[in-house]
Structures are given as structure tokens and as C-alpha cells.
Amino acid sequence: EHHFISAHFLFTDPSFIEEVLPDPLIMYSGEEITTAVRAWTRGYRMFCIKNPIAWHLNKFHGDRYAKDRLWDTKNTGPLYDHFMNKNKKGAARSKDILTGKITGYWGAETLDLLKSYEQASSLDFKLLYEGFGK
């Protein structure tokens, strides 16, 4: 059993989409972990096979794709600015979900369930976020 999720290669019951819809306000800034928290606290369990059968390298003949990792490059302009602004807002929302400020549909259903997830996954989100920026 694992406690994390990456939905680009996910097999589950169709009810998952209704119960654990990825948060549309979080883009490239924690949607995997917030989705995992919502899934686990609603009774879903995540498992992984030992030997991967699919993966990606983000490379083509040894070079990065031209559009790969947009946030990693020195891009400028209105589209990049829009993306980065959304990313900052998404990161703040992820923090609010993972520290229990947001509960209910977009977070753990209760603070007790969030604490249970932290214990099961050996994580402490408040401690994680306290360490940021120091």
C-alpha cells in the first residue's frame, strides 16, 4: 500500500471521479498529494506494482522537450505570468488543504481523518510547511 497518487496512470472505480475530483484551483503545485489525501480519507487505498510497466523521461534523444517544465525556464510574457500566478494560488490552496484550514469536499472530510492520513503516511504537513521559507 502507498499513500500517494499520480493520476496520469490510475485505475479505479468510476465513483472516484465524483468523490475525489482533482481540485481545479490547484495546478502543478500539489494536486497529487491533495488528491491522495481526499482519496485516502474517503476510504480508497492506493497500491503500486513492484516493477513499473510505463514511465516517461521528459526527454527526446537526450534533450528536453521545448515546452517541458515551463516553470523551470526563464520564460517571460503574459502567458507565463498567468501560469505562475495560478501556480502560486494553487500552492497556497494546497497548503490550506494539507494543514486542515480547508476541509470537506476539497480536503479531508474531517481534521481527525487528516490526522489519520498523516499518521498512516508518516507525514506532518504543519511541520512541513513551517520549514518552508526558513
Side-chain angles (χ1 to χ4, degrees):
E1 182 176 358
H2 289 262
H3 294 92
F4 310 102
I5 213 167
S6 183
H8 59 270
F9 199 65
L10 174 71
F11 299 94
T12 188
D13 189 81
S15 63
F16 183 87
I17 299 300
E18 293 176 0
E19 295 178 44
V20 191
L21 182 68
D23 191 328
L25 299 178
I26 301 174
M27 179 183 2
Y28 303 116
S29 54
E31 73 274 12
E32 293 94 344
I33 190 66
T34 59
T35 300
V37 166
R38 285 195 312 280
W40 194 91
T41 59
R42 283 159 179 78
Y44 289 91
R45 294 301 176 257
M46 288 127 328
F47 296 90
C48 178
I49 59 174
K50 285 190 177 210
N51 297 314
I53 59 172
W55 63 91
H56 64 84
L57 297 176
N58 286 345
K59 295 183 181 196
F60 180 73
H61 297 298
D63 296 323
R64 287 170 37 152
Y65 287 112
K67 300 291 182 189
D68 190 29
R69 300 179 191 257
L70 176 67
W71 57 89
D72 229 14
T73 61
K74 296 187 191 270
N75 291 312
T76 58
L79 180 60
Y80 181 74
D81 292 344
H82 173 75
F83 175 82
M84 292 308 291
N85 188 44
K86 285 276 197 188
N87 197 36
K88 288 177 187 173
K89 288 179 181 177
R93 184 168 173 85
S94 290
K95 177 182 178 183
D96 288 346
I97 290 169
L98 298 176
T99 57
K101 187 174 180 182
I102 294 175
T103 56
Y105 184 80
W106 294 114
E109 289 181 303
T110 67
L111 292 175
D112 286 340
L113 284 171
L114 178 61
K115 191 50 126 179
S116 293
Y117 177 85
E118 288 180 307
Q119 290 171 346
S121 63
S122 300
L123 293 173
D124 182 335
F125 293 121
K126 288 182 180 169
L127 181 62
L128 172 72
Y129 282 106
E130 285 174 6
F132 280 9
K134 290 184 177 181

